[in-house]
Structures are given as structure tokens and as C-alpha cells.
Amino acid sequence: MTRARAVESVEEEDDSELIRRSHDDPERFAGIFDRYIQEIHRYAARRLGTQAADDIAAETFLIAFRRRASYDPSHQLARPWLYGIATTLIARHRRGEERFLRALCRTGVDPLPEPMADAVVGRVAAQDNDRRLAGALAGLSRGDRDVLLLVAWGDLSYEEVAEALAIPVGTVRSRLHRARKKTRAALGGDDPTRQDA
């Protein structure tokens, strides 16, 4: 099989099939990595900062690779599984995350790099909101914060969040409601998870 055909074949397979085939051909797991590394890294960076995100993203895929034999093949998408692993790893950094959010609350400086034009305009307009949002996030329980950020920054559905955190969808809904209520109050009534915001 040519390299181009191999890449095309990987792109056509769903995640569960790639994982299944990686049991005999471990290099197939690279397809899962390629599909989700940027998304997982971006989520981890929003939670812990860019430097920690490198480690979290790498460890997420290392753990996923090692646990691929236990992956439930009835789930065609590995995305919630990977977010669940990443969220567990992030929880281990909870104290550091809370310090990061409290520092962001005090300073209003978000360490994520962004294009210069966006940085100049965005920082001036949003610095106060960043502080208030960071303060609200730091004040949430870990469970509420995980649900809110998986929805807002990970763009996961309620069902995907439930799968990622191994909790019922009803728990996702109640945690998200609580988290939105607190963050909305901190932002003067704005909901940070609304798509049109």
C-alpha cells in the first residue's frame, strides 16, 4: 500500500476501528493522535497554561495508547475518552490550576499567545472580564469547573462530557447549571458558554 493510500485509509476509518487495528499495528494509533492532539492540547492549555499543556497532551496520548486494549469499541469517537483522560490528568494539577486562575484573576493576563492585532484590541476590551471569569472559575468546585470547561473550551456535548467524566448526563446538566449561574453572576449576567457571546 502506498503512503498516500495508507493516509487516505486512516482518514476513512472511525476512531474505534483505528484503535482496534492498532492492537496488531501500533503505528495505526498515530491516526488518533493526529486527529485530536491539537484539540486536547488547546483544552489543556486553557486549563493549565501552554507549558503544562505540552505535558498533559503528551501524557494523555501515552495513557490512551497503553489503555487502547480496554477501549470500548461501541464508541466510534475517541474524543470523549481522550478528554476524560486529559481531565483526570488536569485534576492532578488542581492546586496549580487554582493558583493559575487566582493569578489571572489578580493580573488579568492570560498567558495564551494570540495574534498581535487580536491581542491589542482584545486585551484592552476583555482584561476586566478575564479577571472576573478567572475568579469565578477558581471559586467553582472541581466537578463543576471540569463540566463547564469541557463544554465551553472543549466544545463537548452533554453526552460526551458524561462519557468523559464517567457521570450521568443529569449530573452534567446540574453541574453546568450551577457553574453557569456562578460565572454569569461574576460577569454581570453574561453567559461565557453561549455560542453567540
Side-chain angles (χ1 to χ4, degrees):
M1 182 181 295
T2 67
R3 171 80 176 136
R5 180 67 189 133
V7 169
E8 184 179 306
S9 173
V10 166
E11 290 175 359
E12 293 172 1
E13 293 175 319
D14 66 31
D15 296 347
S16 64
E17 182 63 17
L18 271 176
I19 292 170
R20 187 188 67 73
R21 289 182 179 218
S22 76
H23 297 269
D24 295 327
D25 182 6
E27 290 184 22
R28 305 279 282 177
F29 198 81
I32 298 296
F33 179 87
D34 292 343
R35 285 179 185 173
Y36 297 107
I37 184 61
Q38 290 181 342
E39 189 174 335
I40 295 297
H41 187 277
R42 188 172 36 252
Y43 174 69
R46 295 296 303 170
R47 296 288 307 264
L48 298 172
T50 305
Q51 187 174 4
D54 295 344
D55 293 337
I56 294 292
E59 194 171 351
T60 296
F61 285 93
L62 179 61
I63 290 169
F65 180 78
R66 288 179 178 161
R67 293 183 184 166
R68 71 190 189 281
S70 65
Y71 182 76
D72 181 353
S74 68
H75 300 286
Q76 289 183 335
L77 293 177
R79 185 173 183 248
W81 179 57
L82 294 169
Y83 271 98
I85 294 169
T87 300
T88 299
L89 292 171
I90 288 167
R92 293 181 186 163
H93 291 80
R94 183 174 182 215
R95 285 192 308 240
E97 179 185 30
E98 287 178 3
R99 283 192 299 268
F100 169 79
L101 290 170
R102 291 189 196 290
L104 181 57
C105 180
R106 284 190 309 275
T107 66
V109 177
D110 185 346
L112 273 185
E114 54 187 276
M116 185 56 89
D118 293 343
V120 172
V121 174
R123 293 276 183 229
V124 172
Q127 194 168 20
D128 188 49
N129 278 343
D130 286 349
R131 286 185 183 137
R132 291 184 300 163
L133 178 58
L137 291 174
L140 294 175
S141 71
R142 190 187 100 208
D144 290 356
R145 184 171 50 243
D146 287 344
V147 168
L148 177 69
L149 297 180
L150 283 168
V151 169
W153 291 346
D155 199 30
L156 269 64
S157 69
Y158 290 4
E159 292 77 15
E160 289 174 321
V161 172
E163 185 180 333
L165 299 179
I167 59 176
V169 172
T171 302
V172 170
R173 292 180 199 282
S174 63
R175 287 181 182 179
L176 186 59
H177 175 75
R178 231 182 354 260
R180 281 179 168 163
K181 185 176 178 181
K182 287 182 180 181
T183 54
R184 201 177 301 129
L187 295 175
D190 294 335
D191 183 349
T193 61
R194 284 190 28 214
Q195 295 295 329
D196 59 330

